[in-house]
């Protein structure tokens, strides 16, 4: 089967899901992939899918929903989540081509209310690539490359060489401050969600111990613990924690 072109894929995707995507790499947020599956099965938990996701951790959360559907439906296809969430065109093109072939083979032609299924949630094309600093000047502008020729002294009387390096340093310092502020925000966000997970872990552990003392057990609590202790590449494994070997990313 011949691969579908990018333009044809986008046209199909936008028509099926009532979206307005302009680039294949926008699929890297995971929302569109989830809804393609929902158009086939009609039972995907769309309330958990963030169609207007803007951060990588939100992209990952969308793919986790998709991964659970793959497991439940016994779809034997690894999801290269770590590559897809980087929103690179080639990785997402290959995966979207596979999704199109899967849809062609499994969609029953039953019709699909995409907007209704996502409950009218905004689905504007995601901005998958954001500049590090919108306020910083380009290096060529800061350093005067391609600008005034001949090294003439500006009207102010100061030599260009004495002011431009200082201006470049100020621009770099501004960019560094912006990066530092962004990092602080990410750390606060991480700590916020970690605290929530820790509270859930303690609550589940206490409830499990209470049930065990009564000679009982709860499968739902076991599943929650399994999710909490599952591991992923690049993350530390909690000491003595059970490993979910079925995780694929």
């Amino acid at each position: 089967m011949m691969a579908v072109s990018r333009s044809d894929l986008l046209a199909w995707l936008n028509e099926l899901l009532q979206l307005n995507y302009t680039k294949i790499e926008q699929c890297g947020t995971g929302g569109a992939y989830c809804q393609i599956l929902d158009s086939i099965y009609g039972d995907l938990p769309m309330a958990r899918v963030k169609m207007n996701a803007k951060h990588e951790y939100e992209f990952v959360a969308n793919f986790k929903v998709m991964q659970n559907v793959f497991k439940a439906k016994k779809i034997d296809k690894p999801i290269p989540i770590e590559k897809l969430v980087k929103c690179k065109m080639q990785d997402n093109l290959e995966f979207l081509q596979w999704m199109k072939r899967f849809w062609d083979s499994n969609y029953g032609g039953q019709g699909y209310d995409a907007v209704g299924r996502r409950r009218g949630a905004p689905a504007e094309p995601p901005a998958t690539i954001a500049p590090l600093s919108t306020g910083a000047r380009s290096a060529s502008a800061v350093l005067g490359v391609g600008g005034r020729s001949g090294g003439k002294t500006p009207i102010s009387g100061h030599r260009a060489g004495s002011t431009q390096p200082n201006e470049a340093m100020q621009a770099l310092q501004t960019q560094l401050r912006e990066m530092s502020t962004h990092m602080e925000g990410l750390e606060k966000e991480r700590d916020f969600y970690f605290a929530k997970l820790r509270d859930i872990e303690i609550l589940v552990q206490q409830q499990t111990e209470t049930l065990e003392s009564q000679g009982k057990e709860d499968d739902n609590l076991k599943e929650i613990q399994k999710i909490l202790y599952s591991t992923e590449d690049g993350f530390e494994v909690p000491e003595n924690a059970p490993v979910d070997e079925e995780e694929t990313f």
Side-chain angles (χ1 to χ4, degrees), residues 7-220:
S7 58
D8 288 343
L9 277 174
L10 280 173
W12 164 74
L13 183 73
N14 287 329
E15 181 179 359
L16 174 67
L17 304 183
Q18 294 300 294
L19 297 173
N20 192 28
Y21 279 21
T22 58
K23 299 178 181 179
I24 294 292
E25 47 264 45
Q26 290 167 330
C27 292
T29 63
Y33 292 134
C34 286
Q35 202 164 12
I36 291 171
L37 281 180
D38 187 64
S39 73
I40 297 172
Y41 299 108
D43 59 358
L44 191 136
M46 287 302 298
R48 293 175 54 195
V49 178
K50 193 162 186 177
M51 294 299 293
N52 61 340
K54 294 179 175 63
H55 306 287
E56 190 170 310
Y57 71 90
E58 293 174 319
F59 304 169
V60 172
N62 283 343
F63 278 108
K64 291 292 283 186
V65 173
M66 186 178 178
Q67 194 174 54
N68 290 336
V69 174
F70 269 42
K71 290 181 180 179
K73 305 296 184 183
K74 302 187 186 309
I75 301 172
D76 187 20
K77 168 70 175 177
I79 306 175
I81 300 177
E82 290 186 346
K83 291 183 178 180
L84 296 176
V85 297
K86 300 303 180 186
C87 297
K88 299 298 184 183
M89 192 281 292
Q90 188 60 38
D91 294 322
N92 280 280
L93 175 62
E94 292 175 2
F95 195 76
L96 186 58
Q97 286 174 337
W98 180 88
M99 288 289 292
K100 177 63 165 64
R101 291 194 296 270
F102 184 83
W103 185 87
D104 287 340
S105 300
N106 293 277
Y107 181 64
Q110 65 273 18
Y112 183 62
D113 180 10
V115 177
R117 282 293 292 155
R118 57 180 180 259
R119 299 178 183 178
E124 291 300 314
T128 55
I129 302 175
L132 179 62
S133 170
T134 56
R137 300 172 60 187
S138 68
S140 60
V142 170
L143 297 176
V145 177
R148 187 172 47 252
S149 62
K152 295 180 180 179
T153 304
I155 296 175
S156 64
H158 296 289
R159 290 184 177 274
S162 64
T163 59
Q164 289 177 348
N166 184 52
E167 188 178 354
M169 183 63 70
Q170 289 177 350
L172 290 173
Q173 288 174 342
T174 298
Q175 191 173 21
L176 183 60
R177 284 195 297 270
E178 291 175 353
M179 291 176 63
S180 179
T181 300
H182 181 62
M183 182 63 70
E184 288 176 5
L186 290 176
E187 289 175 350
K188 287 180 180 178
E189 196 170 79
R190 176 203 62 194
D191 293 343
F192 173 76
Y193 285 106
F194 178 81
K196 282 182 175 291
L197 288 171
R198 180 57 178 155
D199 289 342
I200 294 171
E201 179 186 21
I202 293 172
L203 183 63
V204 169
Q205 187 174 354
Q206 290 174 342
Q207 186 64 22
T208 300
E209 291 174 353
T210 299
L211 290 173
E212 287 178 349
S213 67
Q214 299 172 357
K216 302 176 182 178
E217 60 181 27
D218 188 308
D219 290 339
N220 288 330

